[in-house]
Amino acid sequence: MFKNKALVTGIGIGIIVGALLLQVMLIRPSSPSKSGISLEEMDPQKLKEEASKYYVVLEKNVKIYTQAELDTAIQKKLKEETDKLAAAKPSEQPKATSPTAPVKIVIYVQPNLDATAVADLLVNSGVITDRKAFVTELDKQGGNTKIQVGYHEFVGVTDLQAIVSNLIAKQQ
């Protein structure tokens, strides 16, 4: 019937081998898990431990909040607490402290510090609050290159002009 018997024989053998391989695959049980325990054999606690290696595992009754929900809940609690404090008796509220002596702040200006580094130093120490205003005042008085190295003392709340003149003035 066919003239090329080798082709027909090869196709026949391929079909037979393919059918045998399919039968072997169907007979073999499913591959075991990496831990050696199948999911059907695992109790819920072990299953939870295995899943927690790769996923966040939570109980069914745990509520997950979005950032917006969390922010509103925090604002609500904050408002409740402030209302409680406002409703508290005046005798229970902390009394205001009497004015104390002015605070004395001493800073050390190191050699080779530029105006922005000195401004950062003053902001961190609490002498000034606005870095840009200090730098512009320093520019007005021409003190960008005249800042003296050494200890500078600031007493109480002072204005920017006094701070700049303190930094530019020669230290004794």
Side-chain angles (χ1 to χ4, degrees):
M1 173 165 140
F2 291 108
K3 292 187 177 183
N4 194 351
K5 290 187 179 185
L7 179 67
V8 173
T9 305
I11 291 175
I13 292 173
I15 290 173
I16 293 170
V17 169
L20 288 173
L21 287 173
L22 281 173
Q23 289 300 318
V24 168
M25 286 176 22
L26 290 174
I27 292 173
R28 183 173 180 269
S30 64
S31 65
S33 65
K34 291 180 182 176
S35 62
I37 301 172
S38 67
L39 294 179
E40 293 83 23
E41 297 171 356
M42 239 186 242
D43 66 337
Q45 186 62 29
K46 285 184 181 179
L47 183 61
K48 191 176 191 180
E49 289 172 7
E50 288 292 322
S52 65
K53 291 179 183 176
Y54 305 103
Y55 304 103
V56 175
V57 180
L58 302 171
E59 297 293 329
K60 268 186 163 180
N61 55 359
V62 174
K63 172 129 175 68
I64 305 295
Y65 292 98
T66 63
Q67 187 64 41
E69 292 172 337
L70 180 65
D71 291 340
T72 56
I74 289 173
Q75 290 298 327
K76 184 179 176 183
K77 282 288 187 184
L78 185 63
K79 186 176 185 316
E80 288 175 4
E81 291 298 320
T82 54
D83 291 344
K84 282 183 187 177
L85 286 175
K89 294 179 184 175
S91 62
E92 293 177 8
Q93 291 182 350
K95 296 182 180 182
T97 59
S98 63
T100 59
V103 178
K104 176 180 166 183
I105 299 174
V106 177
I107 63 166
Y108 178 71
V109 177
Q110 298 176 352
N112 300 325
L113 283 183
D114 60 344
T116 56
V118 173
D120 288 338
L121 182 65
L122 292 171
V123 167
N124 291 339
S125 64
V127 175
I128 63 172
T129 56
D130 189 9
R131 183 177 291 121
K132 286 185 179 182
F134 171 75
V135 172
T136 55
E137 182 65 31
L138 197 60
D139 285 338
K140 282 182 193 174
Q141 294 190 18
N144 281 339
T145 58
K146 297 179 184 177
I147 296 175
Q148 297 296 313
V149 175
Y151 291 99
H152 297 275
E153 184 177 304
F154 302 98
V155 179
V157 178
T158 56
D159 61 338
L160 287 176
Q161 293 174 348
I163 293 171
V164 171
S165 62
N166 186 347
L167 291 171
I168 295 173
K170 291 260 186 196
Q171 300 292 318
Q172 284 99 357

